[in-house]
Amino acid sequence: MVERRYVEEKEKAKAALQNVDSVSLTADMWTSINMDAYLAVTCHAIHAGELSTTLVGVRPFPISHTAENIAGTARELSREWALEEKVRCLVTDAAANMIAEANILRVRHAVCLAHALNLTVKKAMDATPGLDNIRSKTRRMITYFKSSTTAKEKLQQIQVQMGRPVTKLIIEVDTRWNSTYEMLQRLYEQRDAAAAALTTLPTDLDLLTANDFECASECMKIPSPFHAATVELSHEKRVSGSKITPLIKMLKHALSELMAQNSNKMAKDLGINLNRIMNDKLSGIETTSIFSLSSLLDPRFKTLGFQSPSNAESAVHRLKSECAALLRNAPTQEDPPSTSTAQPEPAASSQVIDLWKLLDRDAEEARASRNATADAIVEVQRYLSAPPLERSQDPLVYWTTNKALYHLANQYLATPASSVPCERVFSKAGEIVSKKRNRLKPSTVEKLLLLNKNAQRTLGPYPPPVPKIYIKII
């Protein structure tokens, strides 16, 4: 049953991708509980005003993780799904082998912004004096509550007595700064309950002081916009790549405002570090063509998302050039037969060389090029001169009724802002390849993941739920 359904859904997904002109891919590596490596590749495309995500493969990767080997597997998947001539961009993390993979495949590479923001905030936190000490104390406190059933039950009792929601404490994960933000925020919310519980328990933990809690609270206000941006960029069903340029601009603005309102020294140090690392790591986003053109082709943003007017002007120039190239290569209708009464030229002898052939051809190409450039300038200026849409509106709906730049919009707006779709695949893979199912074949793992990811797009969950049977015990 699984094999039959897998074949059906795979063919259905392949057929759907045949109707699109361009796609973007995301790729990432994962290691299972059995220490088996896998490479996942997802495909993102726009068709008929709808953004779709398709899982094209989760391949076992027992060989060395070199750029050549990764590119070979990605090329094999592209060939299998007939995507070789359609791939416009590859989104991955900033690992050297992933960047080199894109160069080997000769496609544009875009760095996953979720990873970039994660590294930015993590480095800023690590560079802030005093914050690491607060994080260490918090980790030890939460570990104590998670490892002791007595402490856990005592905390729950006090939460009920204080009329607080009974919520679990969160511990940070080294690879995700969001978990640090959530850990400190949750402990601050439950600080009274946690402190009351610890006073009744036999422990010699170094507790957080009132000053520590105040510093943690003020520090967490500084990266809060980065938390919101990470959530915003992780959507699969909405256009996200076009938000990168304006989001960087808004992050810098929000960070500036929060620093001006905050008087806590540790929080100010964190803000200074964030601003410095952002300028160092993310300043080139506006000049990256894939992101700048994506933002420009989003009718909600256009040139409003750019910090630098010169970068916006350069993006407009690139858009005009790409539009002109598209118009120049587009098939043209043949001119209708002339109704002129001019006398036809006498037929040339077959032995006479046409001296004007080369010049006439060059002149025709020059006229076509000039016409395409002029048309592109007109179309781009007409689009940019119209007022932007409200941010709540769907840009894809706009482009279904405005066909001038439709193909370019489909190409650039399909690019995701992050490789989170691959990470979601691996989250599901972790549930499938568990301790109880650790002997699944890699081919079976891929089939189950493709069914889970692709089948639900059109047909919903499969198989249908089995009716529950209740047995009365006498």
Side-chain angles (χ1 to χ4, degrees), residues 368-440:
S369 176
R370 182 173 179 81
N371 291 341
T373 302
D375 290 345
I377 292 173
V378 170
E379 292 296 348
V380 172
Q381 293 294 355
R382 182 186 294 125
Y383 162 67
L384 292 177
S385 62
L389 301 183
E390 293 184 6
R391 196 165 54 84
S392 59
Q393 292 184 262
D394 187 351
L396 300 183
V397 173
Y398 171 89
W399 285 116
T400 58
T401 57
N402 295 268
K403 299 294 185 179
L405 303 173
Y406 176 78
H407 292 289
L408 284 176
N410 280 0
Q411 175 180 330
Y412 284 100
L413 294 180
T415 304
S418 70
S419 57
V420 168
C422 279
E423 294 184 7
R424 290 199 175 104
V425 170
F426 293 145
S427 294
K428 180 58 66 174
E431 297 175 9
I432 293 175
V433 188
S434 61
K435 289 182 179 179
K436 293 184 178 180
R437 307 179 74 189
N438 59 10
R439 299 183 69 182
L440 285 172

Side-chain angles (χ1 to χ4, degrees), residues 117 120 222 225-226 229 244-260 271 274-286 305-308 311:
L117 291 179
T120 298
I222 299 297
F226 291 81
I244 291 179
T245 299
L247 261 179
I248 297 298
K249 179 181 179 180
M250 293 300 100
L251 281 173
K252 289 189 174 182
H253 175 72
L255 182 59
S256 177
E257 285 191 336
L258 287 169
M259 288 177 64
L274 269 174
N275 194 49
R276 173 178 55 81
I277 297 171
M278 276 188 72
N279 290 333
D280 183 39
K281 301 294 184 183
L282 304 177
S283 58
I285 290 291
E286 280 194 358
F306 290 82
Q307 299 175 69
S308 166
N311 287 341

